[in-house]
């Protein structure tokens, strides 16, 4: 805005930017805005509904889907070769042809011509290599859609439907549960407890496949959650109220090996759509299969495989009193140390004494977070776990702290907005913008004639730039945001009206077209800047002091102020100048009785 102000304050003799430079500048701005808006266009207009559902699911679901589809496609390719060994590659298999040619060149062999499906598959060293290639294509497509969603304009609950929930964390219970000898400051403990509660809720909600939740702290002890799309209230409440169950289980190594052999031979026939074993008899009755997860660089759980563990928990997380990350004395490698209470220390000492050499799994929310070997009996309640990197150690510490803090959560209020109401709100919002824009355009064309056309073009570009900036900032559009856009339309017209009336006055004084336009814009400049800058300041304060719908209104209003200044003072001015210099117009068509 400051750069725009400096440019506009210059008189015509001082302006270095000629008409062509300004035209190029406007084109660059519009091109950049199109780049900002492109992800939103791709997501809302070019992505099928079923692809959106996949992109909004969890990374684990995306991985499972891609893996299953790849296995199915490989089976179909093998069957096609078996039924017709001389079948050539189709047009939809150009990706396979490209990779096969590269494989033959890497092996320094002649590329078959024509390339048959059998030749293409023979260029791969293993079936897994083919499967990985196909899985990568599915994965990249879904992740690209997910990226488009992340970079697009979001719809708020009042437009998309969904649920908003306010959860109260009982921090007093956390403080009171600590031992009298604890050295942790109560305020520090409260802050840590809130951080852990938010992280636990985020992981838990994401795990259940609920798309793109918004979770943030509200006040000292409350958590605000927005879940767009359709969601069952009972399911959400059970997810929120259910505490992060953490326990220690014995790993059945022999059963794990047997299960993995079976799984490799029957990848698509081991689990049903709910993740349950189709044939429970492949593992002992007192065991269950859990996924073994590590955390990647983005802080997301990544399943590495499966472990068969005993159903009976050896030790619950409630016995953990503290957890911290340190290093081994000899090797200097990271280790996680945690302290058990008296009862937990006795249970753990007896268990480890009887199971030296066996593996112990740390399970959180039915996911194995660590698979450690019991090297010796552990007594005294001081436990150290090693065998992972620094990041994994810190992630495990967070898991242990979640059980240690055990923050009681309670749903204080919730509001469900149906998808049909959201669709109706979208239609009404679009209708309001269209009617408002059309009414203003008709008025401007009738009242200001040719100059009114300039105002109409500026209005369309104004909305275009607004949506582009909203998309670039990944902001959420709500009904108050739409209200801000409608208000911006009125403010943009106000700027044009001030300019046009000033030009009228200059024409009545007997000035020619070029002089009248130049003087009109110069004289109207400060009046327009005064009104828009004060509006921008008000919007800035609302965005900082307000919350929720007030912030949405403030953001759209502030963006609208900037786009209004650009379109009214730069775009509209250039259109007048083009009419004067390119079309050699002598008069200004700017209203009744003005020549």
């Amino acid at each position: 805005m400051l750069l725009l102000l400096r440019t506009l304050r210059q008189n015509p003799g001082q302006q270095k930017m000629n008409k062509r430079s300004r035209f190029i500048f406007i084109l660059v701005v519009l091109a950049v805005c199109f780049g900002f808006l492109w992800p939103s266009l791709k997501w809302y207009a070019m992505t099928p509904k079923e692809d959106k559902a996949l992109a909004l699911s969890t990374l684990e679901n995306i991985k499972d889907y891609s893996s299953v589809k790849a296995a199915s496609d490989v089976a179909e390719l093998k069957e096609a070769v078996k039924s017709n060994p001389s079948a050539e590659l189709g047009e939809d298999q150009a990706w396979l042809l490209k990779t096969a040619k590269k494989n033959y060149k890497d092996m320094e062999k002649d590329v078959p011509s024509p390339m048959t499906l059998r030749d293409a598959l023979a260029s791969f060293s293993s079936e897994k290599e083919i499967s990985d290639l196909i899985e990568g294509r599915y994965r990249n497509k879904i992740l690209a859609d997910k990226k488009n969603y992340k970079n697009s304009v979001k719809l708020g609950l009042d437009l998309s439907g969904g649920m908003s929930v306010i959860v109260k964390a009982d921090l007093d219970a956390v403080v009171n549960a600590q031992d009298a000898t604890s050295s942790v400051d109560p305020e520090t403990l409260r802050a840590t407890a809130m951080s852990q509660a938010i992280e636990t809720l985020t992981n838990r909600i994401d795990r259940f496949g609920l798309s793109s939740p918004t979770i943030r702290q509200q006040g000292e002890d409350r958590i605000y959650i927005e879940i767009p799309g359709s969601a069952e209230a009972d399911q959400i409440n059970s997810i929120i109220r259910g505490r992060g169950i953490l326990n220690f289980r014995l790993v059945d190594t022999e059963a794990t090996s047997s299960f993995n052999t079976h799984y490799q031979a029957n990848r698509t026939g081991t689990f049903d759509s709910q993740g349950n074993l189709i044939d429970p008899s492949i593992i002992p009755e007192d065991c269950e299969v859990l996924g073994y997860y590590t955390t990647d660089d983005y802080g997301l759980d990544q399943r590495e495989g499966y472990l068969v563990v005993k159903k009976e928990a050896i030790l619950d997380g409630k016995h953990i009193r503290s957890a911290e990350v340190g290093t081994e004395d000899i090797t200097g490698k990271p280790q996680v140390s945690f302290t058990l209470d008296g009862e937990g220390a006795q249970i753990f000492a007896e268990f480890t004494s009887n199971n030296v050499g066996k593996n112990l799994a740390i399970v959180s929310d039915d996911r194995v977070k660590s698979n450690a070997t019991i090297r010796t009996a552990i007594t005294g309640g001081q436990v150290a776990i090693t065998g992972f990197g620094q990041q994994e150690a810190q992630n495990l510490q967070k898991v242990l702290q979640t059980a240690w803090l055990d923050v009681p959560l309670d749903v204080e209020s919730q509001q469900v907005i149906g998808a049909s109401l959201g669709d109706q709100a979208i239609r009404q919002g679009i209708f309001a913008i269209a009617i408002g824009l059309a009414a203003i355009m008709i008025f401007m064309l009738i009242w200001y004639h040719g100059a009114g056309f300039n105002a109409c073009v500026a209005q369309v570009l104004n909305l275009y730039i607004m949506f582009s900036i909203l998309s670039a900032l990944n902001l959420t559009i709500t009904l108050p945001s739409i209200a801000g856009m409608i208000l911006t339309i009125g403010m943009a017209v106000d700027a044009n009206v001030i300019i046009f009336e000033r030009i009228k006055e200059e024409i009545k004084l007997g000035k020619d077209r070029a002089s009248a336009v130049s003087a009109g814009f110069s004289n109207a400049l400060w009046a327009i800047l005064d009104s828009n800058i004060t509006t921008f300041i008000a919007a800035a304060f609302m965005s900082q002091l307000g919350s929720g719908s007030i912030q949405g209104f403030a953001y759209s209003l502030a963006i609208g102020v900037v786009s209004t200044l650009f379109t009214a003072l730069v775009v509209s001015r250039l259109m007048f100048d083009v009419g004067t210099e390119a079309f050699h117009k002598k008069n200004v068509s700017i209203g009744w009785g003005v020549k």
Side-chain angles (χ1 to χ4, degrees), residues 264-476:
Q264 293 300 324
N266 302 274
R267 293 178 64 89
T268 60
T270 302
F271 297 101
D272 59 19
S273 59
Q274 302 299 320
N276 301 314
L277 283 177
I278 297 177
D279 181 10
S281 64
I282 61 177
I283 62 172
E285 292 184 0
D286 62 341
C287 295
E288 62 178 327
V289 178
L290 298 179
Y292 174 51
Y293 291 82
T294 59
T295 306
D296 60 18
D297 295 335
Y298 299 94
L300 299 174
D301 281 347
Q302 184 74 23
R303 191 180 65 225
E304 300 294 336
Y306 294 96
L307 292 176
V308 179
V309 301
K310 298 293 184 181
K311 293 181 180 179
E312 181 182 0
I314 304 302
L315 190 70
D316 289 329
K318 65 182 181 180
H319 294 292
I320 298 175
R321 292 273 64 91
S322 63
E324 60 182 15
V325 176
T327 56
E328 288 186 276
D329 295 335
I330 300 176
T331 64
K333 294 181 179 180
Q335 71 175 14
V336 178
S337 303
F338 59 93
T339 304
L340 300 172
D341 60 14
E343 181 183 357
Q346 183 178 355
I347 296 173
F348 205 67
E350 182 179 350
F351 170 76
T352 54
S353 298
N354 297 329
N355 293 278
V356 173
K358 297 182 180 180
N359 282 23
L360 181 68
I362 299 178
V363 180
S364 175
D365 282 337
D366 292 332
R367 292 184 172 192
V368 178
K369 295 290 188 175
S370 177
N371 180 25
T373 301
I374 304 173
R375 303 185 184 281
T376 183
I378 302 174
T379 59
Q382 299 292 330
V383 184
I385 306 177
T386 60
F388 28 68
Q390 184 68 29
Q391 183 63 44
E392 291 175 310
Q394 292 174 352
N395 293 329
L396 181 56
Q397 180 209 20
K398 292 179 181 179
V399 172
L400 295 172
Q401 279 186 337
T402 302
W404 162 42
L405 294 171
D406 201 12
V407 185
L409 302 175
D410 187 44
V411 176
E412 193 169 64
S413 67
Q414 66 180 26
Q415 180 182 11
V416 179
I417 301 174
S420 59
L421 293 177
D423 292 339
Q424 181 181 1
I426 293 175
R427 290 193 297 270
Q428 291 175 343
I430 294 176
F431 182 75
I433 293 177
I435 291 297
L437 186 61
I440 288 175
M441 285 182 172
I442 292 173
F443 170 79
M444 296 298 287
L445 290 172
I446 293 175
W447 193 258
Y448 290 107
H449 298 178
F453 175 77
N454 292 8
C456 293
V457 173
Q459 288 283 14
V460 173
L461 293 181
N462 195 25
L463 286 177
Y464 168 76
I465 293 173
M466 282 188 65
F467 277 108
S468 300
I469 297 177
L470 287 170
S471 180
L473 299 178
N474 296 329
L475 297 178
T476 300

Side-chain angles (χ1 to χ4, degrees), residues 23 146 229:
F23 178 70
K146 182 183 281 289

Side-chain angles (χ1 to χ4, degrees), residues 66-126:
S66 302
S67 178
V68 170
K69 290 291 291 183
S72 176
D73 288 355
V74 169
E76 290 180 3
L77 290 174
K78 292 169 63 178
E79 183 63 28
V81 171
K82 184 178 180 181
S83 60
N84 185 7
S86 59
E88 296 184 10
L89 293 176
E91 294 182 358
D92 59 337
Q93 296 173 324
W95 57 272
L96 183 57
L97 175 62
K98 180 179 178 181
T99 305
K101 288 182 176 179
K102 182 178 181 301
N103 291 340
Y104 276 106
K105 291 180 180 178
D106 291 342
M107 293 185 295
E108 298 181 353
K109 293 183 178 180
D110 294 334
V111 178
S113 182
M115 177 83 72
T116 65
L117 181 58
R118 184 187 186 94
D119 294 330
L121 297 183
S123 69
F124 293 89
S125 59
S126 64

Side-chain angles (χ1 to χ4, degrees), residues 489-506:
I489 293 175
M491 292 174 56
V493 167
D494 181 62
N496 283 281
V497 168
I498 293 174
I499 294 171
F500 295 166
E501 291 299 327
R502 287 285 190 176
I503 294 176
K504 280 185 178 182
E505 294 177 2
E506 300 298 330

Side-chain angles (χ1 to χ4, degrees), residues 31-53:
V32 171
C33 288
F34 182 80
F36 291 154
L37 195 59
W38 180 241
S40 296
L41 293 175
K42 290 187 69 175
W43 175 257
Y44 290 105
M46 303 169 61
T47 304
K49 187 175 181 180
E50 57 273 14
D51 290 349
K52 289 181 180 179

Side-chain angles (χ1 to χ4, degrees), residues 13-66:
Q14 294 173 321
Q15 288 184 351
K16 301 298 183 181
M17 185 182 296
N18 57 31
K19 308 301 184 297
R20 180 179 298 177
S21 299
R22 274 190 283 156
F23 178 70
I24 294 175
F25 174 68
I26 292 173
L27 289 181
V28 170
V29 171
L30 297 181
V32 171
C33 288
F34 182 80
F36 291 154
L37 195 59
W38 180 241
S40 296
L41 293 175
K42 290 187 69 175
W43 175 257
Y44 290 105
M46 303 169 61
T47 304
K49 187 175 181 180
E50 57 273 14
D51 290 349
K52 289 181 180 179
L54 278 173
L56 291 176
S57 63
T58 62
L59 291 178
E60 180 185 348
N61 290 339
I62 293 174
K63 180 178 180 180
D64 290 341
Y65 172 85
S66 302

